Amino acid sequence: MKNDSKLGTCPLCGEDVINSMYSWYCVENGRSCDFKLPHSIPYGFGDKRKLIQLEEDEARILISGGSIVRELVSKKGNTYRARLKLSIRTDAAGRHWSNLKWDSYAD
C-alpha cells in the first residue's frame, strides 16, 4: 500500500521523503536523487541473519539524523540493546545505499 504523505526531508538533496510499499524514498528518486530507506534491513551473520523491521516513526527519526534503540543478538547469541543511526554510503558508480550503523550500546 502506497502512502504519499511526507515523512521528512531527504538527507541527500533536501526534497521530501515519502512512503512506498517497501521503502521510504526521496520524491526525486529516479531523477536527481537516489535516496531510499528500506522498511526491512538485514543484520546478523550466517544462519543467524535477521531483519530489522522499521516503523514509520523510527524512519522519521533516522532520516532527521537521530538514532533508534533496538535489541540485537550477538554472534555468540547474547542479546544487547544498541543505538542505531542511518548510514549512507556511495559506491564507485556514485549510487547511494542506506543501512543502519551501530552507534553505541544503549542503557
Side-chain angles (χ1 to χ4, degrees):
M1 182 171 94
K2 190 171 179 176
N3 174 3
D4 285 341
S5 62
K6 179 181 174 181
L7 181 74
T9 302
C10 177
L12 296 177
C13 74
E15 293 293 329
D16 292 345
V17 173
I18 58 175
N19 191 15
S20 73
M21 183 177 265
Y22 300 107
S23 64
W24 293 279
Y25 66 96
C26 178
V27 295
E28 289 297 314
N29 194 285
R31 293 182 286 245
S32 61
C33 185
D34 59 358
F35 174 76
K36 281 191 276 193
L37 176 61
H39 291 175
S40 309
I41 298 180
Y43 88 94
F45 308 92
D47 61 345
K48 292 185 170 62
R49 198 161 177 88
K50 298 184 187 229
L51 288 175
I52 294 175
Q53 300 289 340
L54 293 175
E55 300 295 328
E56 188 169 309
D57 59 334
E58 292 175 315
R60 186 175 285 113
I61 291 167
L62 291 166
I63 289 168
S64 68
S67 60
I68 61 171
V69 175
R70 281 299 184 97
E71 189 167 282
L72 302 177
V73 180
S74 71
K75 286 183 190 179
K76 294 182 179 181
N78 301 320
T79 60
Y80 64 98
R81 290 172 46 84
R83 190 169 307 282
L84 304 170
K85 294 187 90 168
L86 180 63
S87 171
I88 302 171
R89 66 178 176 82
T90 306
D91 67 15
R95 294 176 299 228
H96 297 93
W97 301 92
S98 300
N99 207 339
L100 296 180
K101 179 175 111 179
W102 184 89
D103 187 47
S104 63
Y105 288 106
D107 296 329

